[in-house]
Amino acid sequence: MLVESIAFALVGLVTGGAALLALPAYFRAARALTLGTALAAALVGGVVAHFCLDGHYPAASVAASALASGVLTSLLARPDLAAGRAPAHRHHPHHAGTHRAPRRHRPA
């Protein structure tokens, strides 16, 4: 289990480092947060997979570790804040009073 834990940690660090090197503009959060998320996700995902598989398939545990690390690290990516990309607005701005029906007053 110790050797697998070291492999999980290495997978997490490689995943986080690759994300930061490949797409630095997408990860505006602190680099320590990205690396820490990748490392923690790899360790937790690998340990859960190890216990689910009773330790019989270490390669599958390492693969699950990589998958968990990649998925949770991708949640930190913010392509809308990347340099040179303007945020896309889905809704058009409303003019005052055009989005609802006029009020009708009842006589007293």
Side-chain angles (χ1 to χ4, degrees), residues 5-84:
S5 297
I6 293 171
F8 300 152
L10 289 176
V11 165
L13 291 175
V14 167
T15 303
L20 288 172
L21 288 175
L23 301 167
Y26 281 27
F27 294 95
R28 295 291 184 133
R31 296 190 187 282
L33 176 67
T34 304
L35 286 174
T37 300
L39 178 64
L43 287 171
V44 171
V47 169
V48 168
H50 174 81
F51 285 112
C52 287
L53 300 172
D54 281 336
H56 294 298
Y57 304 103
S61 296
V62 172
S65 170
L67 181 68
S69 181
V71 168
L72 288 179
T73 303
S74 71
L75 293 177
L76 297 175
R78 294 290 309 266
D80 58 331
L81 296 180

